[in-house]
């Protein structure tokens, strides 16, 4: 039974063309139910639903090639934000709904196999934010990552799905960059786009369990960057990650009323900061930040490049390789004390 009452539709999205829309699944956690019972789909612009049997989602027969994930009862378990002794780390960023580019890149570097299953053993894969907005296959990216999260852990590896500024924007209802494709889902389901990923949804709960910053071996990973203001405030990873999870659903005015939350969610905070790419940023500032976290380097997304790029003698590595354009992309591989650019065609070169 459809029981989708939530906030009214937010700012209208741009009008769509006449291409039929296929979208989903969307899974809502119904009050009083032990497990989700129903998956909702958009099939040729129309709402459809299928029962969830033994945690498996099955799309309607006439609903294109939409994801058919298996729900994971442990998906929202809170994981550590600091790791040591990891043999291989792979990082990329800012996918922005470009599912095909993501799949091609991961497959060519054997992170996943031909069936799109985890194939990287005990490696750690870090997505430094911004899966949402701009592109037309955000939901496909999310469900793929949801499944990969479970598969990586089962193989002894780990997926670190870090929150970027666009995840934060969507969750607080800032829908300026949502692809028009998703207007249909909102209309058919009677929810604003942000409510499709609210805390009463499977994907919404999963996303809200994730960190914003992680430290793996001697490297710090996050979306934007750490500024001197973080050090001045004497913040720790655990406190910042907890504050992000606790306040992710607050509105912009609510966040701005609190000095610390205003820093964390905006301006010089870790999901928006671009200081490393400005001419007035100094080596001394970077040395202070690296020493504060006891790391050799910081890996960030957010600021677009044409490739994986090392700055300050590779003490800052930018991994937003413009996947959002939907044409190509790169990833960073850290293995055997080497920093490696993973090119879109599967080739590799030392950074």
């Amino acid at each position: 039974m459809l029981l989708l009452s939530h906030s009214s539709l937010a700012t209208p999205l741009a009008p769509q063309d006449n291409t039929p829309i296929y979208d989903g699944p969307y899974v809502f956690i119904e009050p009083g139910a032990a497990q989700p019972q129903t998956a909702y789909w958009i099939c040729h612009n129309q709402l459809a639903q299928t029962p969830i049997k033994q945690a498996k989602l099955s799309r309607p027969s006439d609903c294109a090639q939409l994801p058919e994930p298996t729900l994971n009862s442990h998906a929202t378990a809170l994981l550590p934000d600091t790791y040591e002794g990891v043999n291989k780390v792979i990082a990329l960023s800012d996918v922005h709904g470009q599912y095909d580019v993501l799949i091609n890149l991961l497959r060519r570097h054997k992170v996943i196999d031909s069936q799109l299953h985890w194939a990287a053993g005990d490696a750690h894969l870090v997505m430094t934010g911004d899966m949402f907005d701009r592109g037309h296959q955000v939901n496909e990216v999310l469900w793929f990552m949801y499944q990969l999260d479970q598969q990586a852990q089962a193989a002894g590896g780990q997926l670190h799905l870090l929150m970027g500024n666009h995840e934060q924007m969507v969750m607080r209802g800032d829908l300026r960059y949502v692809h028009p494709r998703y207007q249909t889902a909102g209309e058919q389901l009677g929810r604003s786009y942000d409510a499709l990923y609210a805390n009463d949804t499977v994907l919404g709960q999963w996303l809200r369990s994730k960190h914003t910053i992680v430290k793996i071996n001697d490297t710090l990973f996050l979306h934007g960057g750490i500024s001197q203001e973080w050090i001045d405030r004497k913040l720790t990873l655990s406190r910042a990650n907890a504050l992000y999870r606790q306040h992710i659903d607050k509105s912009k005015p609510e966040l701005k009323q609190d000095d610390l939350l205003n820093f964390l969610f905006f301006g010089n905070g870790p999901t928006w900061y671009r200081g490393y790419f400005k001419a007035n940023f100094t080596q001394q500032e970077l040395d202070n930040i690296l020493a504060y976290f006891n790391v050799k380097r910081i890996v960030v997304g957010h600021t677009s490049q044409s490739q994986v790029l090392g700055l300050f003698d590779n003490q800052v590595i930018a991994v937003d390789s413009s996947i959002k354009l939907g044409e190509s992309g790169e990833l960073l591989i850290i293995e055997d004390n080497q920093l490696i650019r993973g090119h879109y065609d599967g080739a590799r070169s030392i950074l």
Side-chain angles (χ1 to χ4, degrees), residues 48-274:
Q49 60 189 66
T50 56
I52 299 173
K53 298 179 179 179
Q54 298 182 332
K56 176 66 177 175
L57 279 61
S58 299
R59 62 179 176 260
S61 59
D62 57 346
C63 208
Q65 295 299 311
L66 294 173
E68 294 183 296
T70 299
L71 300 183
N72 175 15
S73 60
H74 303 292
T76 60
L78 187 60
L79 299 172
D81 59 18
T82 302
Y83 295 81
E84 298 288 345
V86 177
N87 294 320
K88 181 178 182 180
V89 184
I90 305 150
L92 71 164
S93 188
D94 292 76
V95 170
H96 283 295
Q98 296 295 344
Y99 174 77
D100 292 335
V101 173
L102 171 65
I103 293 300
N104 287 337
L105 183 58
L106 294 182
R107 191 159 45 192
R108 287 165 181 166
H109 285 280
K110 297 180 172 51
V111 180
I112 58 174
D113 61 21
S114 61
Q115 302 302 308
L116 312 189
H117 297 153
W118 179 261
D122 63 358
H124 284 217
L125 174 65
V126 186
M127 172 77 74
T128 69
D130 281 10
M131 296 176 296
F132 276 97
D133 286 344
R134 304 188 192 280
H136 68 294
Q137 289 182 295
V138 170
N139 212 40
E140 286 88 338
V141 169
L142 291 171
W143 281 116
F144 167 71
M145 286 293 178
Y146 178 91
Q147 295 279 238
L148 207 62
D149 192 3
Q150 182 177 10
Q151 294 165 3
Q153 290 187 52
Q158 188 67 61
L159 169 64
H160 302 279
L161 193 66
L162 308 182
M163 297 294 96
N165 63 305
H166 280 268
E167 279 74 34
Q168 294 170 354
M169 290 169 69
V170 166
M171 289 183 188
R172 66 172 177 262
D174 184 342
L175 308 181
R176 287 174 290 166
Y177 298 96
V178 178
H179 192 278
R181 172 193 181 194
Y182 294 104
Q183 182 173 0
T184 300
E187 291 172 346
Q188 291 289 337
L189 290 165
R191 287 189 168 216
S192 58
Y193 180 76
D194 55 306
L196 298 177
Y197 303 101
N199 205 25
D200 64 345
T201 70
V202 167
L203 287 179
Q205 289 192 355
W206 171 66
L207 289 168
R208 284 165 176 79
S209 73
K210 298 305 180 185
H211 296 306
T212 301
I213 313 168
V214 296
K215 179 182 175 182
I216 306 174
N217 299 336
D218 55 7
T219 305
L220 194 70
F221 297 85
L222 69 159
H223 186 62
I226 296 292
S227 64
Q228 179 63 39
E229 186 172 350
W230 172 292
I231 299 175
D232 296 340
R233 291 176 178 272
K234 298 180 171 59
L235 282 165
T236 64
L237 291 188
S238 59
R239 186 182 182 206
N241 282 323
L243 286 169
Y244 278 120
R245 285 190 296 273
Q246 182 180 351
H247 298 285
I248 189 69
D249 290 305
K250 285 189 174 178
S251 67
K252 187 172 184 178
E254 288 176 307
L255 294 170
K256 284 191 167 291
Q257 286 175 6
D258 183 284
D259 179 61
L260 179 54
L261 296 180
N262 183 46
F263 163 69
L264 285 173
F265 281 88
F266 306 106
N268 283 332
T271 58
W272 283 94
Y273 184 63
R274 300 186 193 271

Side-chain angles (χ1 to χ4, degrees), residues 245-316:
R245 285 190 296 273
Q246 182 180 351
H247 298 285
I248 189 69
D249 290 305
K250 285 189 174 178
S251 67
K252 187 172 184 178
E254 288 176 307
L255 294 170
K256 284 191 167 291
Q257 286 175 6
D258 183 284
D259 179 61
L260 179 54
L261 296 180
N262 183 46
F263 163 69
L264 285 173
F265 281 88
F266 306 106
N268 283 332
T271 58
W272 283 94
Y273 184 63
R274 300 186 193 271
Y276 307 145
F277 304 90
K278 296 181 179 179
N280 62 352
F281 185 79
T282 67
Q283 180 69 54
Q284 185 59 60
E285 287 181 272
L286 179 58
D287 290 343
N288 292 342
I289 295 165
L290 295 175
Y292 185 86
F293 290 97
N294 190 27
V295 294
K296 291 183 178 179
R297 68 187 67 87
I298 302 174
V299 173
V300 298
H302 188 51
T303 302
S304 296
Q305 314 295 328
S306 60
Q307 63 180 59
V308 169
L309 178 67
L311 305 171
F312 296 93
D313 195 23
N314 289 337
Q315 291 177 305
V316 172

